Amino acid sequence: MRVLVIGGGGREHALVWKISQSPEVTEIFCAPGNTGTAELANNVPIPADHIDQLLAFALENKIGLTVVGPEQPLVMGIVDQFQEKGLRIFGPTARAAELEGSKVFSKNIMKKYELPTAEYEIFTSHEKAREYFNKETGPRVVKASGLAAGKGVILCCNAEEGRNAVDLIMQDKSFGEAGDEVVIEEFLEGQEVSVLAFTDGNSVLLMDSAQDHKAAWDGDQGPNTGGMGAYSPAPVFTDTMRQLVRDKIMFPLISAMKVEGRPYQGILYAGLMLTKLGPKTLEFNVRFGDPETQPLLVRMESDIVPLFEACIDGTLDQCELKWKQEPSVCVVMAAKGYPGSYEKGKEILGLDEAGALSDVVVFHAGTKGEEDKVLTNGGRVLGVTATGVDTPAAISKAYEAVSKIQWDGIHYRKDIGAREQVK
Ligand code: AMP
Ligand code: GLY
């Protein structure tokens, strides 16, 4: 079977890497891909949100399965368009992808079906949103409702910061029309865990847990990013917690989506805060996480392709998911300045040396090839991923590999996985 993976980040390299191990697969294409995917797949120069071109490519090249990485094409309806032409594609339809595309929709669903989440209010008026902070003066979180490339969430310590956040989103329109509606919610405290599940719309198969590191700098300081590193499993996420999350959050949500006439097929990703009152959902994403996918997939023992197929066919209840015991750690190597402005086009050295270490996979994110060189081509450049007998071993292996890699203007966190060590 020929498989098309859509996207060009670290998550997509990890997907291509895992899919390439399946005996069912004869050829892989990745659109647009990066230098890492080019080693295992044929890169196709079509951006992930050019749905018409992707559709034409899939039809022409007799693609048997398409797997979508990023949220944008899902929210735009790539699954609906592929399905209309009889193509097999893994992921939710546009109406189901609204769970990520609209935070207002997602919060309202959670409220209607009594799923645990932060208390919130919704505003479409800038003035009313500002007035909210006349009565509420404690810490709050202000969120643009629409897609904002992971940047539309502002943590506010007090009313003044809250009003500034509302001005930035609703008056200055810093996230464009994603900020036409805002959600203002209670600030939750606890450890964050990412829980991803396969679902065919009826059954839900949870993956092992992972923990992301969102802040740019060590010690969880600095601006929020797409994720600076992740590890799996997250020991705070116990088996009891897992059962609770499956029975009280994931499964009820999938049932709710069916009742709402928005049946859900694909990956359901719950960003959870483990509060003193139990796990509460911060957000749902409708896709694999990045970088969580990198440490998850190096630990996944089962072939991933039959799982994609079972989700499409509605036979997920017949599947099992097996994991390697060894923990894994992914350290994101980014361009200096990320998540703000950064330079591209720097030559990356030491990739072969790092990749030659045992139990290490260097996933590419923002890279491109030029002649025989590999150049930086994005904010997050590499996801250096290692497994080990325990988390400290995986951490030192990952950083050993990181130390072999160089370019002009590297930034990475030195404390990925360390949070787990202090407990
Ligand atoms: P979201 O995209 O909604 O998950 O928000 C991005 C990040 O902001 C999350 O991963 C959390 O670190 C943080 N966050 C979001 N909502 C809350 C909340 N209600 N309380 C505390 N932190 C939050
Ligand atoms: N790592 C966070 C995300 O994929 O949304």
Side-chain angles (χ1 to χ4, degrees), residues 353-417:
E353 226 183 311
L357 293 171
S358 57
D359 305 320
V360 169
V361 191
V362 179
F363 290 119
H364 290 225
T367 63
K368 76 169 184 191
E370 206 171 86
E371 291 158 12
D372 55 352
K373 293 181 183 161
V374 180
L375 307 181
T376 67
N377 193 39
R380 292 190 291 177
V381 177
L382 301 170
V384 178
T385 308
T387 47
V389 284
D390 52 19
T391 307
I395 293 172
S396 37
K397 198 67 178 192
Y399 280 106
E400 185 190 343
V402 163
S403 74
K404 312 271 181 214
I405 297 172
Q406 292 153 32
W407 72 81
D408 175 24
I410 281 187
H411 166 66
Y412 60 88
R413 277 182 60 163
K414 318 276 184 305
D415 62 347
I416 301 303

Side-chain angles (χ1 to χ4, degrees), residues 277-290:
L277 300 173
K280 295 193 180 190
T281 303
L282 297 175
E283 62 167 348
F284 286 113
N285 293 323
V286 297
R287 50 167 175 83
F288 282 98
D290 192 346

Side-chain angles (χ1 to χ4, degrees), residues 103 118 141 143 153 155 185-188 192 214 224 273 282-283:
K103 288 193 189 289
V141 185
K143 302 183 174 186
V153 172
L155 309 180
E185 68 180 34
E186 174 197 4
F187 191 100
L188 297 177
E192 257 185 273
K214 291 245 159 83
N224 254 7
M273 189 71 92
L282 297 175
E283 62 167 348

Side-chain angles (χ1 to χ4, degrees), residues 111 136 273 315 394:
K111 186 173 185 182
E136 302 293 349
M273 189 71 92
T315 54

Side-chain angles (χ1 to χ4, degrees), residues 92-155:
T93 59
R95 275 169 58 75
E98 249 191 280
L99 262 187
E100 179 167 0
S102 163
K103 288 193 189 289
V104 167
F105 172 79
S106 169
K107 293 295 286 191
N108 286 343
I109 274 260
M110 286 191 258
K111 186 173 185 182
K112 182 169 171 188
Y113 292 89
E114 299 178 354
L115 306 186
T117 189
E119 294 294 327
Y120 69 102
E121 285 187 40
I122 291 166
F123 295 92
T124 47
S125 145
H126 174 221
E127 201 183 327
K128 293 255 161 56
R130 278 191 128 250
E131 279 169 16
Y132 169 93
F133 287 103
N134 294 340
K135 57 180 171 59
E136 302 293 349
T137 52
R140 286 290 182 280
V141 185
V142 179
K143 302 183 174 186
S145 177
L147 290 185
K151 294 183 187 142
V153 172
I154 305 175
L155 309 180

